[in-house]
Amino acid sequence: MKKDIILAGVGGQGILSIATVIGEAALQEGLYLKQAEVHGMSQRGGDVQSNLRLSSEPIMSDLIPKGGADLIISLEPMEALRYVEYLAPDGWIVTSCVPFLNIPNYPELETVLNRIKAYEHHVLLDVETLAKEAGAPAQAANMVLLGAAIPMLGIEHDKMIDGVKRVFARKGEAVVETNVKAVETGYAFSVR
Amino acid sequence: MKHLLLGDEAIAQGAIDAGLSGVYAYPGTPSTEVTEYIQLKAKHLHCRWAANEKTAMEAALGMSYMGKRALVCMKHVGMNVCADAFMNAAITGVNGGLIVLAADDPSMHSSQNEQDSRFYAKFAMIPCLEPCNQQQAYDMMAYGFDLSEKLRTPILLRVTTRMAHSRAVVNTLDTPRPQNELSMPENVNHFILLPAFAKRNYAELVAAQPTFVAHSEQDGQNVYTRGTFPQKAIVTTGIGYNYLMENYDASMGCSILRITQYPLPAALIGQMVKDGAKEILVIEEGQPVVEELLRGMVPSDIVIKGRLTGDLPRMGELSPDCVRKAIGLDALPVHEPEAIVVGRPPALCQGCGHRDMYTALNEVAREYPNPRIFGDIGCYTLGALSPFHAIHACVEMGASVTMAKGAADAGQHPAIAVIGDSTFTHSGMTGLLDCVNANANVVVLISDNLTTGMTGGQDSAGTGRLEQICTGLGVDPAHVRVVVPLPKNMDEIKNVLREEIDYAGTSVVIARRECIQTLKRHLKAAKKS
């Protein structure tokens, strides 16, 4: 088993929480893991990404090669497109369709979404609305996105839910329940 | 035990488990997390932030003097700040183990240059360690402290961004080694660098060089593997090895020398040549240090390839892709980049006090024919970008104050420095003293957000005492002004700035409002308790 994942978004959106949950589940599965993060200046509202690599064999490079990513998980549609050079020819894009507008020259949203739809393997979803519908706060939008990516992760659905429970356990039962619900909502959207 | 750790955290845990007594550091990306981890996991050790890298290095040397193990952490440019102490610590030598961690930032993700700290190890003539993965980073702390005490020399530990900020599973010891007992140096004269003593120390350091090389050859950190086709050889340093192995196919049969310890292991390089190497590719993160050194170590008919020859990019960090190309493999098939994607540069947070400070400053500066505003290092450097375009220079920690002074000396008016509170206590105070002594016609605008913001909100050394520091340095108390950068105070701030610009002498304006990131954190913590 080998999955190379690029997590993308805008500084402060919460891509590292997604990585934490996947990492927790992967370690329980006994997989090797490497995860390169961005700290420092770019976190101030700039584009951020994290390279997450999972494998049943030892992993060498901390970075994913161009053309090597099995999956791009993005909390922002244009940010998903920023990394397509890294996507394998048959790779998946799972992304929120809600733009993060903090720059004056953001391209036309419809064009951005059409570009994403041009990729054969894509899941495009409104994570914020889905979070709301699940009765979860806006901060749980990243867990909806994680849920939508589960079918492509190579880790079983139940194992991922266990991962969510363990990661959020110290925040109390209510927080665990909200986040599990958010993940299930995203998962249901993806497999429907 | 198994832990998922950042490279920085592996270094911190390795130091704790190796009997560390204190860490001394000033925050700087990508090194900050080492000290933060020790603050979180081992509060009983000395782990308070230092005012700058020089005070950190000196305090660590003092702890080592007393026989205890000390760690100094900084980003690469911090090495310049502590260079005086660092270079001379190589001459004094150490008592307790002393490791200096320099985290380099090739590609300048969060830095103003990509200087390679390995030059400093060579400059000071001390051993340097450069781990290739998180596990080795952990293991090298115990090895490094032991080596430091055995050789009585400081050790430089060099990592780069991808090592510092990448997570992997690390196996750690169950029981940490106890700390050293307090003990005086055997020979106190070693620490008294009068020329007569220093000459003796320096001669010892020179004489120890072959021993340093022998450790590089024999301790197992550097590994040479003869290939089945040894005419082609590859030398990797640090994480360069991982990019090679990501792409390498055993059928290529190259001889491979994996370097993670310096000085260079001459015997292993000699063996590589003896085995028939005709072409050597050097894969190293940072500047072409080994590539240049090898040219003087192997016969001149051997072709050396690397960053200087264009086989790898001259600048920037390595990637699996550029290394793949360098070893002669075709690129993987990729999707074309999407032309529609535009840049998303970082920006000051909404609600940040620096924003209101710049709004006021820009409006006042516009009233003068040719204002010059000298910026400094921190979040507020982003004032150079849209929408503010407020600063005309930014060089290194503290330079705003002294460059404004130099400009004023040259006849510029108004000459304004913009500096953060933490940068001011790091390196701005001495420059302010120069201003006071010359009664330089400058305004030093300290944008005080009560924290070291850019690196994530660490304690700032002068919090609550900036006015006293400025008046203590001799600034006329009538010209140390404090304002609160909020939109509702805009008129007041602008008036204060005008008055101090028009005052012919040194003045300080402190714009003080808490960083909104730390404020959010504090409010959240207060809500919980």
Side-chain angles (χ1 to χ4, degrees):
Chain A
M1 184 273 189
K2 180 172 169 299
K3 288 286 168 192
D4 286 339
I5 304 159
I6 289 185
L7 296 151
V10 179
Q13 273 194 315
I15 62 166
L16 290 184
S17 310
I18 300 178
T20 304
V21 174
I22 299 175
E24 172 67 29
L27 289 183
Q28 284 295 319
E29 290 288 277
L31 296 173
Y32 289 92
L33 178 159
K34 276 206 167 191
Q35 184 196 334
E37 302 171 3
V38 172
H39 296 215
M41 192 174 244
S42 349
Q43 285 177 301
R44 301 273 170 272
D47 56 277
V48 291
Q49 47 78 24
S50 172
N51 282 205
L52 178 60
R53 314 192 74 185
L54 314 174
S55 176
S56 45
E57 304 297 320
I59 303 161
M60 297 313 298
S61 168
D62 296 276
L63 297 177
I64 297 169
K66 283 183 181 163
D70 301 286
L71 178 59
I72 292 172
I73 303 177
S74 180
L75 276 162
E76 210 281 346
M78 183 183 75
E79 294 307 323
L81 292 175
R82 192 182 298 284
Y83 305 101
V84 293
E85 250 191 307
Y86 288 87
L87 191 64
D90 59 347
W92 279 84
I93 298 176
V94 179
T95 181
S96 164
C97 63
V98 185
F100 191 101
L101 300 171
N102 65 343
I103 44 172
N105 55 338
Y106 195 94
E108 199 187 52
L109 181 61
E110 204 189 321
T111 322
V112 171
L113 299 182
N114 282 336
R115 284 309 308 152
I116 291 167
K117 287 174 191 161
Y119 290 82
E120 191 194 341
H121 297 137
H122 73 268
V123 178
L124 197 56
L125 70 170
D126 181 342
V127 290
E128 288 170 21
T129 304
L130 285 168
K132 230 175 278 166
E133 284 172 13
Q139 296 101 294
N142 55 359
M143 289 299 115
V144 175
L145 186 68
L146 169 64
I150 287 178
M152 301 89 186
L153 279 178
I155 299 175
E156 284 171 38
H157 164 274
D158 293 359
K159 302 275 167 72
M160 286 302 303
I161 295 294
D162 289 345
V164 176
K165 287 178 180 165
R166 279 195 303 275
V167 166
F168 290 99
R170 64 184 176 87
K171 296 197 173 173
E173 191 58 40
V175 176
V176 170
E177 211 171 291
T178 318
N179 281 289
V180 168
K181 218 166 160 195
V183 173
E184 294 287 20
T185 304
Y187 180 75
F189 180 93
S190 207
V191 297
R192 84 190 184 290
Chain B
M1 279 177 286
K2 281 188 173 183
H3 302 275
L4 183 60
L5 298 176
L6 285 177
D8 276 350
E9 295 171 342
I11 289 164
Q13 187 66 52
I16 295 168
D17 292 348
L20 183 77
S21 293
V23 61
Y24 295 87
Y26 182 80
T29 310
S31 72
T32 313
E33 293 80 4
V34 179
T35 305
E36 287 188 323
Y37 184 89
I38 295 172
Q39 289 171 340
L40 192 70
K41 301 280 178 173
K43 287 185 196 67
H44 60 288
L45 305 179
H46 178 280
C47 55
R48 201 188 162 84
W49 292 108
N52 66 34
E53 293 85 355
K54 180 170 181 283
T55 66
M57 179 74 216
E58 290 157 349
L61 185 61
M63 182 172 266
S64 161
Y65 180 104
M66 296 308 300
K68 302 226 172 192
R69 292 186 163 187
L71 173 65
V72 195
C73 302
M74 67 199 78
K75 66 183 295 168
H76 57 344
V77 286
M79 288 297 293
N80 305 330
V81 179
C82 83
D84 197 7
F86 172 79
M87 293 298 295
N88 287 307
I91 306 294
T92 61
V94 308
N95 185 20
L98 177 59
I99 296 181
V100 180
L101 167 84
D104 292 359
D105 190 20
S107 285
M108 303 184 231
H109 297 283
S110 278
S111 306
Q112 71 269 50
N113 75 24
E114 48 175 56
Q115 66 183 57
D116 190 319
S117 297
R118 292 176 298 169
F119 282 115
Y120 268 111
K122 178 146 179 60
F123 195 15
M125 301 172 68
I126 63 169
C128 174
L129 303 175
E130 190 189 5
C132 75
N133 58 41
Q134 291 78 357
Q135 183 67 53
Q136 195 185 15
Y138 173 84
D139 296 336
M140 269 186 167
M141 296 312 287
Y143 170 76
F145 277 121
D146 287 348
L147 189 69
S148 173
E149 286 172 4
K150 185 174 179 194
L151 301 175
R152 311 211 80 59
T153 177
I155 305 283
L156 183 76
L157 178 74
R158 186 245 185 179
V159 297
T160 54
T161 305
R162 292 303 165 188
M163 174 71 197
H165 285 166
S166 178
R167 272 174 217 281
V169 171
V170 176
N171 280 308
T172 65
L173 293 175
D174 291 330
T175 350
R177 173 192 181 281
Q179 294 182 36
N180 289 352
E181 294 298 324
L182 210 61
S183 73
M184 296 294 172
E186 271 172 40
N187 179 359
V188 165
N189 286 353
H190 255 283
F191 285 88
I192 305 175
L193 295 186
L194 275 172
F197 299 160
K199 277 179 201 170
R200 214 153 51 210
N201 287 0
Y202 184 50
E204 282 175 26
L205 179 63
V206 170
Q209 296 301 305
T211 313
F212 294 179
V213 173
H215 279 281
S216 284
E217 290 166 351
Q218 292 157 18
D219 288 3
Q221 306 287 358
N222 295 326
V223 181
Y224 170 66
T225 315
R226 187 187 195 275
T228 50
F229 185 68
Q231 289 85 344
K232 283 208 170 191
I234 300 175
V235 176
T236 68
T237 80
I239 63 171
Y241 180 74
N242 305 339
Y243 298 130
L244 173 65
M245 286 301 138
E246 179 74 21
N247 293 299
Y248 193 70
D249 179 343
S251 70
M252 292 169 142
C254 303
S255 294
I256 296 175
L257 174 57
R258 190 199 77 173
I259 289 173
T260 59
Q261 181 172 353
Y262 309 79
L264 286 177
L268 301 184
I269 292 166
Q271 188 60 48
M272 184 169 72
V273 172
K274 215 168 125 192
D275 286 341
K278 291 284 166 246
E279 182 188 301
I280 303 172
L281 172 69
V282 184
I283 303 173
E284 59 189 320
E285 190 80 296
Q287 294 178 262
V289 177
V290 171
E291 190 179 346
E292 283 186 344
L293 286 173
L294 272 185
R295 287 173 201 277
M297 295 176 79
V298 303
S300 58
D301 60 335
I302 293 180
V303 178
I304 295 175
K305 294 180 164 185
R307 289 184 182 268
L308 290 171
T309 55
D311 291 271
L312 285 161
R314 181 65 182 80
M315 302 189 299
E317 64 181 344
L318 297 171
S319 68
D321 311 303
C322 71
V323 171
R324 184 177 178 85
K325 186 167 166 248
I327 62 173
L329 297 176
D330 292 334
L332 301 171
V334 299
H335 293 279
E336 284 302 308
E338 291 285 347
I340 191 177
V341 175
V342 295
R344 195 189 297 263
L348 290 168
C349 305
Q350 291 305 319
C352 166
H354 296 315
R355 282 182 174 266
D356 299 318
M357 178 273 293
Y358 275 130
T359 301
L361 181 61
N362 271 349
E363 286 182 24
V364 172
R366 238 176 262 137
E367 297 166 8
Y368 296 83
N370 187 25
R372 284 292 102 174
I373 297 169
F374 296 87
D376 223 302
I377 308 283
C379 287
Y380 50 94
T381 315
L382 295 172
L385 306 179
S386 186
F388 299 106
H389 302 288
I391 62 174
H392 308 117
C394 168
V395 183
E396 41 80 33
M397 298 286 282
S400 60
V401 177
T402 18
M403 283 183 73
K405 177 184 183 291
D409 293 346
Q412 165 64 25
H413 181 77
I416 301 167
V418 174
I419 186 168
D421 50 311
S422 183
T423 305
F424 176 69
T425 45
H426 177 287
S427 285
M429 298 190 296
T430 43
L432 184 58
L433 183 58
D434 281 351
C435 293
V436 167
N437 288 340
N439 197 28
N441 192 2
V442 297
V443 176
V444 176
L445 203 174
I446 304 177
S447 200
D448 179 9
N449 59 1
L450 309 171
T451 191
T452 313
M454 178 98 274
T455 44
Q458 295 76 24
D459 291 342
S460 173
T463 297
R465 298 191 305 275
L466 290 185
E467 293 93 313
Q468 289 101 307
I469 290 170
C470 294
T471 54
L473 287 169
V475 183
D476 180 348
H479 295 284
V480 176
R481 314 282 296 271
V482 180
V483 296
V484 179
L486 279 169
K488 65 173 183 183
N489 300 335
M490 214 36 79
D491 289 340
E492 184 204 339
I493 304 168
K494 289 197 292 190
N495 282 335
V496 167
L497 285 172
R498 276 187 207 109
E499 285 168 22
E500 297 309 329
I501 289 172
D502 294 341
Y503 165 66
T506 303
S507 46
V508 172
V509 177
I510 301 170
R512 176 176 297 138
R513 179 152 71 81
E514 184 176 3
C515 164
I516 64 151
Q517 297 292 344
T518 58
L519 179 67
K520 272 186 212 158
R521 226 177 294 158
H522 289 150
L523 290 177
K524 211 170 166 186
K527 209 169 137 193
K528 249 183 208 167
S529 63

